[in-house]
Structures are given as structure tokens and as C-alpha cells.
Amino acid sequence: MNARLTTPGTPPWRPALQRGLARGRAFVWFLLKTLLPLYLATELLKASGLLAWLASYLAPVMGWWGLPGEAAAALCAGLFINLYAAAAVAAPLGLSWQQVSVLGLILGIAHSLLVETAVVRGLTPSYKALTLLRVGLGLASGWLLAMVII
Amino acid sequence: METLAALPAALWQGLQGGLILCLEIALVVVPLLFGYELAAAYGIFERPWPRLKPLLARLGLGPGALVPLLAGLFLGLIYGAGILLSLSDEQDLPRQERLALAVFLVTCHAVVEDTAIFMLLGGSALAMLGPRVVLAVGLTAWLARRRKP
């Protein structure tokens, strides 16, 4: 975004590639930090049987979206942390493409709520209503999609 | 005790699976980051794009909202948050336009990365992205129409 700040002699792509490299490196580090621990934790919870036990309580609710009870963990990770966290939790669950699509749609609309609500707050005073709208729209459209494809 | 024996295997599987997923996501997102930086350096997000003007007007957005809209749509709410906030202040966007922008962007932002992550897990791009775009455009247009009698 700071194209105007570069010195007139250098072509714009050079600093852009440098910034891309820095961003890429930071992103890979962020990815490893977020994804690996959650992926490991999910595998361990799965192997220990704890996940299945928790899931048995959530299965009736998650069933509205055609999702197994285990997917509630991925949903929470996405809503409160971010989509990379949700992917780390969802990947070991062995969901079908339809289930991944429903989860992806719900979370695409409503995710990283803690951080993003703070951003929206800077844009409009109606940020609380907008956050509720996101969660509502996400759940509603996910439910509709599940009705159609699952 | 049976479960205890399964734990080392789960640990190994988690490490392997986690690293592979990291690699897959990085292979998609890192090139995108380079692309965005290049696009930004050549001013793609700051161009006036006159053809989009009538479309924007339908959404209740003036020409000043285009830069934050493009930034939010492609760069994401967090990644582009700095741009979004500073620009809507800078261009003195009216309160109504800020609300319209927020309504559009909360439902539909960072569309490329978001969709790519779940496509890697097997999701359908059409099923995940289509409804988001329809919702964002529909809601914003409805809001704009309701405001103008």
C-alpha cells in the first residue's frame, strides 16, 4: 500500500517482493504456531476418546448442520481463534466434502470474532449488532446449505 | 490402558498431518501474499475503476469507499484493517457509507484465503463463496434502497 513512498528510481516490484518475502516468512511462522499445537491436540483428544465423549453430547445440536459432534470443536476454534485454527481441528476429523463446505461457509461468514469485532468497532458504532448478524447469517446459511447438499 | 498405547501413534500422526497441512496452506497463501504486495505496489487497489461506480452506487457506496472495499475484500479484515480504518477516516466517509462498508465486509472479506483453506480440506468453492457474495451484495443493496425513499 506504500507504493508512493518508494524512491522514484527503483521499480515498484522490487520493494513489493521484499515485503512479500517478509510477510511470507511471518505467515509461515504464524501458521506453525497456530496450526501444529491444535492439530496435535485434536489427534490426542481423538485417540484418548475424550473427543468422542464430548461429541456425543453435542451431536444432536451439530446434527442440524449435518455435522458430527466433533465438528463443534472446529467451529469454536474458528469462531474464537481463526480459520487456520479451525482447519487444524477439522482436518483430523475426516469430514466429507459436503461437511467441510458447510463448516467453511459458516466460518467464512463468522470467524475470528474477538479480533475482527475490534476492527469493525473502528468502522461503525453498530459493531455489536453486526457481530450478532454475522453469527446468525453464518449459522442460517450453513443450515440451508446442509439442507441442500447433505 | 489401550488408549495409552495409542497416544504415541496419535502424536506422530498429529505431527505429520499438521506439518503437511501447514505446508499445503503455505503453498497457497504465500504466493497470494506476493501477489497482493505486487498488486498494491502497482496501485491496483487505489485505481478509480470507473466501471465499478454504478455498481457501488447501488450498494450505497460513493467512490471514496472503493479503496477500503477492495482492500477488505482481497486483503482481509485483519490484514487490511490498517488500510480500512485509516482510509475511511482519511476520505471522511459519511456514517451511512461506513455502515454499508462494514455490512458488506463482515460477511465477505479475505475471500481468496478463506475459501482456499477449506478447499484444501475438500470443500466446494462454489458452496462456500457463492452464498457469502450473494449475502453481502444483497444486504448492502437492501440497506441502500431502504435509505432512499
Side-chain angles (χ1 to χ4, degrees):
Chain A
M1 281 289 126
N2 297 325
R4 308 287 176 266
L5 297 181
T6 52
T7 44
T10 47
W13 56 265
R14 202 171 293 197
L17 287 190
Q18 277 164 0
R19 277 196 301 272
L21 197 67
R23 292 235 196 248
R25 201 180 296 165
F27 176 76
V28 169
W29 180 231
F30 153 82
L31 204 56
L32 287 170
K33 265 193 323 195
T34 324
L35 216 139
L36 265 187
L38 280 165
Y39 202 112
L40 272 172
T42 310
E43 285 285 9
L44 287 178
L45 279 174
K46 212 174 77 173
S48 67
L50 264 174
L51 190 61
W53 176 75
L54 266 173
S56 65
Y57 288 98
L58 296 168
V61 182
M62 298 307 289
W64 294 342
W65 288 273
L67 296 170
E70 282 87 348
L75 200 60
C76 289
L79 288 177
F80 297 109
I81 309 172
N82 54 49
L83 289 178
Y84 300 99
V89 178
L93 300 182
L95 302 173
S96 69
W97 73 265
Q98 291 95 333
Q99 291 170 328
V100 173
S101 302
V102 170
L103 194 64
L105 177 59
I106 301 175
L107 288 177
I109 297 175
H111 57 246
S112 320
L113 293 177
L114 302 180
V115 178
E116 292 192 350
T117 302
V119 176
V120 177
R121 191 178 183 174
L123 207 55
T124 168
S126 325
Y127 65 97
K128 279 184 192 158
L130 278 179
T131 301
L132 278 177
L133 179 79
R134 285 180 83 177
V135 177
L137 280 178
L139 291 176
S141 50
W143 180 77
L144 265 175
L145 182 64
M147 298 280 273
V148 175
I149 66 173
I150 294 187
Chain B
M1 288 308 105
E2 192 183 298
T3 52
L4 272 182
L7 287 187
L11 212 64
W12 176 238
Q13 210 176 339
L15 201 64
Q16 224 177 353
L19 280 174
I20 291 174
L21 187 60
C22 280
L23 187 71
E24 285 177 335
I25 295 180
L27 281 177
V28 174
V29 176
V30 172
L32 279 177
L33 290 176
F34 275 96
Y36 290 155
E37 285 296 347
L38 278 173
Y42 285 92
I44 304 265
F45 300 114
E46 291 162 46
R47 225 173 271 175
W49 296 113
R51 281 194 186 181
L52 291 179
K53 226 179 243 177
L55 245 154
L56 280 180
R58 251 196 216 182
L59 299 178
L61 294 169
L66 184 61
V67 180
L69 184 69
L70 288 179
L73 200 52
F74 291 103
L75 304 178
L77 214 52
I78 305 175
Y79 193 71
I83 313 163
L84 208 70
L85 295 181
S86 70
L87 280 172
S88 50
D89 280 341
E90 210 175 284
Q91 311 228 3
D92 248 344
L93 286 186
R95 202 177 55 82
Q96 300 279 17
E97 269 187 52
R98 290 165 75 111
L99 180 66
L101 197 60
V103 167
F104 190 97
L105 286 178
V106 290
T107 33
C108 200
H109 63 261
V111 290
V112 188
E113 300 101 283
D114 287 8
T115 311
I117 299 170
F118 285 94
M119 274 174 80
L120 284 173
L121 300 184
S124 141
L126 183 69
M128 294 186 289
L129 191 52
R132 280 177 81 183
V133 177
V134 171
L135 273 176
V137 173
L139 272 176
T140 320
W142 173 73
L143 208 71
R145 187 178 275 214
R146 215 184 54 153
R147 223 165 41 224
K148 271 184 240 142

